[in-house]
RNA sequence: GCCCCCAUCGACUAGCGGCCUAGGUCACAGCCCUUUCAAGGCUGCAGCGCGGGUUCGAAUCCCGCUGGGGGCACCA
């Protein structure tokens, strides 16, 4: 039997990080099993649909590399089929009319249960199940009717979804039974919580995929991080490529408990991925990112800064503040400047030939002692003058890249500002 | 209120009755390296929610409690 799973978001807004995690688990499971991963838009409730949402969801998944099989399907397109099936249930006496709507009969004794692939057996007393409305009086199907019906139509074998659906599952199982459909395997994954311990949702702690993209996270890092949120391979492995994740992912190792999203770990992991990139790949990622930011910065110059920023940034979004001084003028804090040092540095660098890192370093290394300063103090002053900050990429390399003219100009400006 | 789910360091987790003096990663602290910041190396801090059982033996099994989460719509 071919594994078929689906990710079924409702198009009411952007794809948030909890939803992505669900999509990822489905995708990993499908790819691991050599099965199919379907994308289904559950737009039963037209009133809440957001026009751009579907496109945005597709874009987010594509950016993350979660490709889906077959066409994207829309729940709305199957509403006629829903009506046909509802009438059939009516005719079979499994459903009845109620003020224009159609309700399905639920058993009122015994239990309704299933063997959840992550939680094990779950049982709900059937008396808790109301005869739920499957067709509204205006003829539109409700979610708990349309969703399982579509699972049936699409031959979905495994339903992997968030914890918040456990209470829907018994209802959907009864719908499926009435329909005469096979019951898929259900796997309920623990929810993703915000730092406040509340479930992440569009209304709460909203974190869309595009936000991570704008901040300069790499999709590979996000995927790796998310995979570890509720799943683990063993007791040691943390960094795993997409291929390794696919190869290793199993539902048995998915946790049923909810997990808190941790930005700091994500940042660390993103740094790991960034550092693992070769210089060309890094340059490509950086210039693409900068382009998306719309800053209009010189891509060639950005490319040349790669060697000195490569190991330093934990996410590309830090680049503008860290290396922006290459592209625009700096503002200085006079308190951090020492006039004598700056003038001496200017003097030394003015005549230097060639104006290259090694020569620059040799020349500047001589300064501290002659000024009676510690290297640390002298270099910090120069660093601030040239880069505008006491945190910057390597100083001598930066000076070479900036060029003699700009360096001297900044040194002069800073010296004037320093006073005595 | 009722129903369901969950419960190991601050966070993510490993653990599926003896291998646990509870392991790994992030974060945090200290040290080393060092022109800043990172990175890297080393060391450290820190946890089985509580109470009963079962067993020769419990983080692991059972029950209760507590806590957290989710759900109870002609929303999805």
């Amino acid at each position: 039997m071919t594994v078929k799973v689906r990710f079924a978001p409702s198009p009411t807004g952007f794809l948030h990080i909890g939803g992505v995690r669900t999509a990822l688990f489905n995708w990993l499971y499908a790819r691991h099993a050599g099965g199919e991963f379907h994308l289904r838009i559950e737009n039963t409730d037209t009133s809440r649909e957001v026009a751009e949402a579907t496109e945005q969801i597709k874009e987010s998944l594509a950016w993350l590399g979660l490709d889906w099989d077959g066409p994207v399907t829309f729940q709305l397109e199957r509403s006629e089929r829903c009506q046909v099936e509802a009438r059939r249930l009516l005719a079979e006496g499994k459903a009845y009319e109620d003020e224009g709507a159609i309700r399905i009969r639920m058993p009122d004794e015994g239990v309704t249960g299933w063997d959840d692939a992550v939680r094990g057996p779950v049982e709900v007393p059937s008396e808790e199940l109301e005869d739920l409305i499957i067709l509204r009086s205006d003829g539109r199907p409700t979610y708990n009717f349309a969703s399982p019906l579509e699972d049936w139509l699409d031959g979905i074998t495994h339903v992997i979804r968030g914890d918040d659906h456990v209470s829907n599952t018994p209802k959907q199982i009864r719908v499926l039974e009435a329909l005469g459909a096979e019951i898929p395997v259900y796997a309920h994954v623990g929810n993703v919580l915000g730092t406040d311990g509340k479930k992440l949702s569009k209304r709460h702690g909203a974190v869309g995929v595009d936000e991570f993209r704008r901040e300069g996270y790499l999709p590979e890092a996000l995927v790796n991080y998310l995979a570890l949120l509720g799943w683990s391979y063993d007791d040691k492995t943390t960094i795993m490529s997409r291929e390794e994740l696919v190869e290793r992912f199993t539902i048995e190792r998915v946790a049923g408990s909810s997990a808190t999203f941790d930005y700091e770990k994500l940042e660390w992991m993103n740094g790991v991925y960034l550092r693992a990139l070769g210089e060309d790949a890094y340059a490509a990622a950086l210039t693409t990112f900068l382009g998306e930011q719309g800053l209009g910065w010189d891509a060639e110059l950005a490319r040349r800064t790669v060697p000195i920023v490569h190991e330093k940034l934990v996410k590309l979004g830090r680049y503008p503040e860290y290396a922006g001084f290459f592209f625009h003028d700096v503002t200085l804090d006079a308190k951090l400047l020492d006039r004598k040092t700056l003038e001496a540095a200017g003097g030394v660098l003015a005549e230097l030939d060639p104006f290259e890192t090694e020569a620059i370093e040799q020349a500047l290394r001589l300064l501290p002692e002659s000024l009676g300063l510690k290297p640390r103090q002298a270099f910090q002053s120069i660093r601030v003058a040239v880069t505008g900050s006491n945190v910057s990429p390597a100083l001598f390399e930066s000076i070479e890249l900036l060029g003699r003219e700009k360096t001297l100009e900044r040194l002069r400006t800073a010296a004037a500002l320093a006073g005595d």
Side-chain angles (χ1 to χ4, degrees):
Chain A
M1 181 182 67
T2 309
V3 163
K4 273 195 187 181
V5 300
R6 68 350 182 243
F7 175 55
S10 59
T12 52
F14 57 82
L15 195 54
H16 71 276
I17 209 66
V20 175
R21 207 273 312 255
T22 303
L24 175 62
F25 281 15
N26 273 284
W27 183 85
L28 286 172
Y29 186 67
R31 294 292 169 257
H32 175 82
E36 295 176 16
F37 172 67
H38 290 264
L39 177 57
R40 182 164 90 209
I41 304 296
E42 301 207 320
N43 57 348
T44 311
D45 184 10
T46 41
S47 66
R48 281 174 40 182
E49 186 163 352
V50 177
E52 303 298 314
T54 300
E55 271 319 301
Q56 232 181 86
I57 289 168
K58 285 160 71 176
E59 241 186 74
S60 294
L61 291 177
W63 180 68
L64 288 162
L66 307 185
D67 55 327
W68 55 92
D69 302 297
V72 177
T73 58
F74 295 86
Q75 200 155 73
L76 211 54
E77 288 166 3
R78 322 244 225 191
S79 59
E80 267 178 53
R81 179 63 188 267
C82 289
Q83 288 166 11
V84 170
E85 295 299 334
R87 276 196 297 270
R88 197 188 105 210
L89 295 182
L90 211 51
E92 290 172 359
K94 293 171 178 167
Y96 60 93
E97 262 193 88
D98 178 20
E99 288 174 39
I102 296 178
R103 283 184 191 276
I104 188 169
R105 290 183 206 284
M106 291 287 179
D108 24 47
E109 47 186 54
V111 294
T112 302
W114 72 98
D115 191 17
D116 199 284
V118 341
R119 281 154 214 278
V122 180
E123 284 188 341
V124 177
S126 295
E127 57 182 343
E128 298 294 327
L129 274 27
E130 307 192 297
D131 291 354
L132 62 95
I133 291 183
I134 54 175
L135 222 56
R136 301 174 172 92
S137 39
D138 65 4
R140 286 155 52 225
T142 56
Y143 166 76
N144 274 316
F145 184 54
S147 185
L149 191 136
E150 284 203 89
D151 288 337
W152 174 45
L153 259 28
D154 293 335
I156 298 301
T157 58
H158 301 253
V159 174
I160 305 170
R161 55 183 11 174
D163 200 358
D164 45 330
H165 284 287
V166 258
S167 55
N168 287 325
T169 304
K171 301 174 195 170
Q172 298 180 180
I173 285 174
R174 290 306 185 186
V175 166
L176 254 8
E177 281 176 358
L179 253 13
E182 273 203 34
I183 314 297
V185 173
Y186 289 95
H188 290 96
V189 179
N191 277 128
V192 178
L193 272 27
T195 322
D196 59 354
K198 291 273 189 292
K199 178 184 170 238
L200 282 181
S201 74
K202 280 157 209 156
R203 291 162 298 278
H204 181 84
V207 222
V209 172
D210 28 328
E211 216 167 310
F212 288 93
R213 185 177 183 170
R214 278 198 300 274
E215 286 178 32
Y217 287 96
L218 297 176
E220 298 75 35
L222 196 50
V223 162
N224 192 160
Y225 175 74
L226 249 20
L228 256 22
L229 215 51
W231 174 82
S232 63
Y233 174 56
D234 58 15
D235 59 337
K236 296 211 157 60
T237 317
T238 304
I239 302 296
M240 283 173 274
S241 69
R242 187 180 299 267
E243 292 68 33
E244 288 169 325
L245 289 171
V246 166
E247 191 190 316
R248 296 168 180 178
F249 186 85
T250 56
I251 291 186
E252 292 72 59
R253 294 198 59 87
V254 170
S257 47
S258 44
T260 305
F261 192 88
D262 183 6
Y263 280 91
E264 292 186 318
K265 189 161 181 178
L266 203 219
E267 282 204 354
W268 164 78
M269 193 173 280
N270 198 60
V272 171
Y273 274 84
L274 240 20
R275 273 174 256 123
L277 248 31
E279 270 186 16
D280 288 342
Y282 192 99
L286 176 63
T287 50
T288 301
F289 173 79
L290 256 20
E292 285 176 359
Q293 294 294 109
L295 294 167
W297 288 359
D298 179 6
E300 185 43 40
L301 179 55
R303 206 177 291 276
R304 287 197 285 144
T305 65
V306 167
I308 56 175
V309 299
H310 186 60
E311 305 264 305
K312 307 279 193 162
L313 301 179
V314 77
K315 54 182 176 181
L316 264 9
R318 292 273 166 76
Y319 185 84
E321 57 161 330
Y322 190 66
F325 69 93
F326 284 116
F327 305 87
H328 55 67
D329 290 340
V330 297
T331 45
L332 302 172
D333 181 350
K335 289 195 299 290
L336 303 173
L337 300 168
D338 177 64
R339 192 168 60 86
K340 273 203 207 107
T341 307
L342 299 175
E343 282 171 348
V348 167
L349 293 178
E351 303 301 324
L352 198 67
D353 184 56
F355 198 76
E356 288 169 3
T357 299
E358 211 176 305
I360 293 167
E361 174 162 8
Q362 269 178 24
L364 293 182
R365 285 260 178 225
L366 267 20
L367 285 185
E369 206 184 334
S370 66
L371 293 166
L373 293 171
K374 296 207 163 124
R376 199 186 195 80
Q377 301 170 305
F379 294 145
Q380 269 317 78
S381 191
I382 299 171
R383 182 188 307 281
V384 170
V386 172
T387 72
S389 166
N390 49 20
V391 175
S392 82
L395 182 58
F396 312 122
E397 284 83 348
S398 293
I399 288 175
E400 177 189 329
L401 256 182
L402 234 204
R404 191 195 310 266
E405 201 181 320
K406 277 190 180 166
T407 301
L408 293 180
E409 184 190 313
R410 286 187 191 177
L411 249 17
R412 275 195 300 272
T413 310
L417 199 69
D420 277 301

